[in-house]
Amino acid sequence: MLEMLRRQTQTRRRAMRSTTNHACGLYPAVGAASMDPRGVIIGREAYSGKAYIYDPFVLYNPKARVRLASGHALILGKSGFGKSALEKTYVLRQLRFRDRSFCVLDAQGEDGAGEWDSIARQLGITPIRLVYGDADGTQGVRINPLDNRIPAEHQFKVLVSMMEIIAGTLSSQTKFALAEAHKAAAVIARSEQRVVILSDVLNALTGPESALLGQQPVTPAELVEWGQPAALALDELCNPNRDLSGLFDGPTSEGIDLDARLIVFDLTRLPREGEAMPLLMAVLGPWLRFGWIKSGDSIKRTLIVEEAWHILSHRPVARLFEELVRYGRRLGLSFWAVLHHLGDLLLEEAPEAAAILKLTATRVLYHMDRDEAEITANYLGLPDWARYALVDGSNVCAPGRGIWQVGSRINLVEHIRTATEIRLTDTNRRMTEGATDDSAMNSAPMMRLQKGAAA
């Protein structure tokens, strides 16, 4: 019996040496492949426990471990499962890098303020608030779609998009009359040494002079008839008795700092339904492209659009943003579209929206209902385990956990927040009892930005 016993030195096995790549293959349950270690920590990969680090600009570099085709991202999922917390903490962490700049179109909030209000003010920034039906421009700010920051050829594209949102598709004759009115309005504004505004275009459209269509003379009466649909649409924007007045007619309000490292447009006072929100999106896209993005600098910029279905579901708006997103790599731009449901969009009828979604190389998916999960999984080509995970909102995709599809890699990631980030990103405070006193929390200090935007 004693002969069967062996000393420890006799039973010790020789250590097996291996590379991390081979170890991942031998132990797939705990060997999740990592991406580039540069960037900001999102949290940890749920199955391996590894830190999950992400930065689209780093991953776009050809030398990165995971090479992304673009820096654009799509964020999907039901409310209350972590979309807002993710985007806010990502911005707060990225702002510690000096070559990062952000613009947020904040479409959600309560008590007349957006969800980003507390973060912006903590950083010393005043959100730019746009107000519906403010003809005098005393409660909010005004964005001029014909601002000098937008080149003249792009101003006309914005004009056409705005008119089509209100009046539907414009005929070739209406576009011709609108183009002639735009040119005439610009001439008048230059002679008076001021910026052209929408009222100038309306006046030129309803009181035109003769024009030439090639070699064919066009009378003022014909131009008035051709331009009638656009004139009626412009009246909705310029007439002080209309609900849309005050948003766009007039020079851009002073005090909008497009050089700030964080710009927050508070859109919470604009109605979700109707033309106000898509009109604003049609203006802000080109306005930010030529006013916010500076060619030749080294700043990496991120545009975060909440309720992005206002862009994707309106073809005139989607056309403008598709151009912005398509040339994002030249502009140093990362575009983040935040949505609740992908199934609400009729992508077959909106090729521009489908093109924008296909240009996103990062997709972050939170818990969804079964039908919506099937639609999303089919469109994005997710594996079976991800389909099942999206439906499980109690365990696998519980709040704070999401499926990250970064290029060809798919991981389940648990988002981790600090005490300060929890305080600033909590959107459930009004629904919970016994809220923790903010002053009693062990919070890390916030760094105020040196330069802030005012409105």
Side-chain angles (χ1 to χ4, degrees):
M1 190 71 177
L2 293 177
E3 295 177 356
M4 298 179 62
L5 299 177
R6 295 289 187 270
R7 297 180 181 178
Q8 185 177 5
T9 55
Q10 294 177 292
T11 60
R12 181 180 298 161
R13 296 183 179 181
R14 182 179 300 177
M16 182 181 69
R17 297 183 179 274
S18 176
T19 65
T20 53
N21 285 336
H22 284 98
C24 288
L26 292 171
Y27 303 100
V30 296
S34 62
M35 296 187 295
D36 198 289
R38 297 169 295 171
V40 296
I41 296 178
I42 301 298
R44 57 171 168 251
E45 205 278 329
Y47 295 125
S48 69
K50 292 182 179 179
Y52 196 84
I53 301 173
Y54 174 78
D55 188 308
F57 300 106
V58 171
L59 297 179
Y60 184 78
N61 191 308
K63 296 182 180 180
R65 294 181 185 177
V66 178
R67 174 70 164 87
L68 292 184
S70 76
H72 309 311
L74 173 66
I75 319 296
L76 284 171
K78 296 180 67 174
S79 297
F81 282 83
K83 297 192 306 297
S84 295
L86 170 66
E87 58 188 90
K88 292 171 186 174
T89 53
Y90 174 79
V91 170
L92 288 173
R93 296 171 188 181
Q94 283 276 13
L95 281 174
R96 294 182 178 272
F97 299 100
R98 294 187 177 182
D99 61 345
R100 298 292 192 265
S101 177
F102 292 86
C103 178
V104 180
L105 306 188
D106 184 7
Q108 299 193 60
E110 58 185 19
D111 298 331
E115 286 189 352
W116 287 78
D117 188 77
S118 59
I119 290 178
R121 297 188 182 279
Q122 190 80 20
L123 296 173
I125 291 173
T126 302
I128 301 168
R129 180 167 292 115
L130 290 103
V131 179
Y132 183 71
D134 181 23
D136 298 328
T138 56
Q139 301 180 46
V141 301
R142 179 183 289 112
I143 304 294
N144 183 12
L146 305 179
D147 195 285
N148 287 332
R149 282 172 271 205
I150 303 178
E153 62 273 18
H154 287 275
Q155 288 181 12
F156 182 68
K157 291 181 181 180
V158 175
L159 267 178
V160 171
S161 297
M162 295 177 72
M163 299 304 97
E164 289 186 334
I165 291 171
I166 298 175
T169 304
L170 301 182
S171 66
S172 299
Q173 291 176 326
T174 302
K175 289 181 181 179
F176 176 80
L178 183 62
E180 291 297 315
H182 178 223
K183 289 188 290 185
V187 171
I188 294 174
R190 281 197 299 269
S191 66
E192 298 177 359
Q193 296 183 340
R194 60 176 178 82
V195 66
V196 62
I197 60 176
L198 289 181
S199 294
D200 297 329
V201 180
L202 177 60
N203 293 335
L205 197 59
T206 53
E209 298 181 356
S210 299
L212 283 176
L213 179 56
Q215 296 298 319
Q216 175 188 348
V218 182
T219 66
E222 288 176 316
L223 286 174
V224 169
E225 181 182 355
W226 292 359
Q228 193 72 5
L232 291 172
L234 279 170
D235 182 68
E236 295 287 334
L237 302 173
C238 302
N239 191 327
N241 297 319
R242 306 294 189 187
D243 289 336
L244 294 174
S245 63
L247 280 174
F248 309 108
D249 183 35
T252 299
S253 302
E254 296 182 0
I256 299 178
D257 182 12
L258 293 182
D259 293 324
R261 295 190 56 207
L262 175 61
I263 307 169
V264 177
F265 285 93
D266 186 343
L267 315 180
T268 55
R269 295 195 184 183
L270 298 181
R272 300 284 183 92
E273 306 298 332
E275 298 97 351
M277 193 71 79
L279 280 170
L280 181 65
M281 296 296 181
V283 175
L284 281 180
W287 199 74
L288 289 173
R289 174 183 174 183
F290 297 104
W292 176 48
I293 299 175
K294 310 293 191 304
S295 60
D297 64 11
S298 60
I299 302 298
K300 305 296 188 297
R301 294 176 172 85
T302 301
L303 173 60
I304 298 177
V305 181
E306 296 182 346
E307 300 290 341
W309 63 273
H310 290 294
I311 292 174
L312 301 176
S313 60
H314 292 80
R315 292 195 66 181
V317 186
R319 279 197 296 267
L320 295 173
F321 270 84
E322 182 191 4
E323 184 178 356
L324 176 65
V325 173
R326 190 173 296 279
Y327 296 107
R329 57 183 179 180
R330 299 182 189 176
L331 303 173
L333 176 70
S334 173
F335 173 76
W336 285 39
V338 185
L339 295 164
H340 288 92
H341 307 294
L342 191 61
D344 293 340
L345 302 173
L346 301 177
L347 298 176
E348 298 81 3
E349 302 177 8
E352 297 87 358
I356 292 176
L357 294 181
K358 289 180 180 179
L359 287 170
T360 58
T362 300
R363 286 79 178 258
V364 184
L365 313 172
Y366 290 93
H367 170 60
M368 305 174 188
D369 293 332
R370 186 173 300 278
D371 292 342
E372 185 63 33
E374 285 296 319
I375 294 173
T376 304
N378 291 335
Y379 185 81
L380 300 180
L382 299 180
D384 289 341
W385 74 265
R387 294 170 183 261
Y388 302 140
L390 288 176
V391 180
D392 188 356
S394 300
N395 299 297
V396 183
C397 276
R401 283 186 164 200
I403 304 293
W404 280 68
Q405 183 185 41
V406 181
S408 59
R409 298 190 178 183
I410 303 178
N411 298 97
L412 177 64
V413 178
E414 182 180 355
H415 183 207
I416 298 177
R417 295 178 289 168
T418 66
T420 300
E421 292 170 340
I422 292 174
R423 173 172 56 87
L424 291 175
T425 62
D426 182 16
T427 57
N428 299 317
R429 191 175 306 171
R430 296 287 295 271
M431 286 293 293
T432 55
E433 297 185 35
T436 305
D437 183 10
D438 292 345
S439 62
M441 298 182 70
N442 183 17
S443 302
M446 291 286 291
M447 298 190 305
R448 291 174 64 87
L449 300 181
Q450 295 181 350
K451 198 170 186 180

